[in-house]
Amino acid sequence: MKIFIDTANVEHIREMNSYGIVDGVTTNPTLIAQEGRDFAEVVMEICEIVDGPVSAEVVSESAKDMIPEAEELSKIHRNVIIKIPMTGEGLKAAQICKQHNIKTNVTLVFSPTQALLAAKAGATYVSPFVGRLDDVNHYGMDIVENILTIYDNYDFDTQVIVASIRSPLHVLEAAMMGAHVATIPYKVLKQLLKHPLTDIGIDRFLEDYKKIPGK
Ligand code: E4P
């Protein structure tokens, strides 16, 4: 499974990238706003850190306006993936982007049938938001399983990015289901890295090392 980091914070991206675990990055308008910096400047800096797909989202609501916006965002860096909302206009835009060889990530997907339509429209990636579904008492990972089955049934090339991840268990389930990508917030990546028994084990080894004659 590919691991993307779900943030626009360049320090966090740099740290995780230094561990050799980051295959790509997803941003959204909320994440970029949190940084208080120029949109294009942040996206460019992220692309210089990570050599992989970096999602940047359009904010236009009509396909007519999304296309020039997508073209502008694509000029920032060759690795930019255009994030497009899962609406009728978004699907029109995804289809046109595909014809123009612009890769897309259809976002804000909350049902397997939305994901089916996104794949038919030619989306490169689709992002089901599992945490936000859990928040409204709907088991989010269920839709990931259904999307993977549908894509497998019909040999769609669209890759599934498990998004809105809130805990290490979401990541475990995504990997067990064979999702193509999990986009993971910094806090959850930190949680994945740590295990109390690892820390206890290191402390014990270091203590015992001191007991070796001559050490
Ligand atoms: C995905 O690409 C989105 O940026 C993200 O996962 C949204 O997650 P949230 O529900 O934590 O805002």
Side-chain angles (χ1 to χ4, degrees):
M1 183 172 68
K2 287 182 192 138
I3 290 183
F4 291 179
I5 181 167
D6 193 27
T7 183
N9 182 291
V10 291
E11 276 79 40
H12 289 171
I13 294 170
R14 242 185 226 107
E15 179 192 333
M16 289 301 160
N17 192 53
S18 73
Y19 304 148
I21 58 170
V22 175
D23 299 298
V25 181
T26 51
T27 69
N28 62 41
T30 306
L31 292 171
I32 295 195
Q34 283 166 5
E35 299 309 306
R37 300 177 54 195
D38 178 71
F39 190 103
E41 185 189 295
V42 178
V43 173
M44 166 70 95
E45 194 173 341
I46 294 171
C47 290
E48 283 165 354
I49 301 168
V50 175
D51 186 22
V54 174
S55 288
E57 190 157 343
V58 296
V59 287
S60 304
E61 293 182 70
S62 69
K64 177 177 74 61
D65 293 335
M66 284 179 199
I67 297 304
E69 205 186 335
E71 282 165 349
E72 272 311 298
L73 291 172
S74 298
K75 284 184 199 150
I76 297 175
H77 194 277
R78 66 179 190 288
N79 286 347
V80 169
I81 307 291
I82 307 304
K83 226 176 179 187
I84 291 179
M86 176 58 226
T87 59
E89 289 299 301
L91 293 185
K92 273 191 216 170
Q95 188 188 185
I96 296 166
C97 281
K98 188 175 165 104
Q99 288 158 6
H100 294 187
N101 284 322
I102 295 173
K103 291 184 178 160
T104 54
N105 172 2
V106 172
T107 188
L108 290 165
V109 165
F110 292 96
S111 76
T113 41
Q114 283 184 317
L116 170 63
L117 300 187
K120 287 196 74 79
T124 317
Y125 298 97
V126 70
S127 290
F129 275 37
V130 297
R132 292 194 197 184
L133 278 169
D134 289 351
D135 290 344
V136 294
N137 210 12
H138 184 300
Y139 184 54
M141 289 307 296
D142 273 352
I143 75 157
V144 173
E145 193 164 28
N146 290 339
I147 295 168
L148 290 168
T149 302
I150 292 168
Y151 285 6
D152 193 45
N153 285 347
Y154 299 106
D155 276 336
F156 284 115
D157 291 332
T158 306
Q159 293 192 37
V160 179
I161 304 180
V162 181
S164 186
I165 281 179
R166 301 274 160 80
S167 75
L169 284 178
H170 278 145
V171 180
L172 172 66
E173 285 183 83
M176 296 297 288
M177 283 176 190
H180 307 91
V181 186
T183 188
I184 310 175
Y186 175 79
K187 179 174 158 258
V188 177
L189 281 170
K190 279 282 207 201
Q191 290 173 312
L192 288 169
L193 201 74
K194 288 287 245 182
H195 196 289
L197 290 178
T198 305
D199 295 339
I200 291 167
I202 290 170
D203 287 347
R204 194 174 298 159
F205 284 149
L206 292 179
E207 278 309 305
D208 289 344
Y209 181 77
K210 290 181 203 151
K211 296 174 193 160
I212 298 172
K215 296 293 169 194

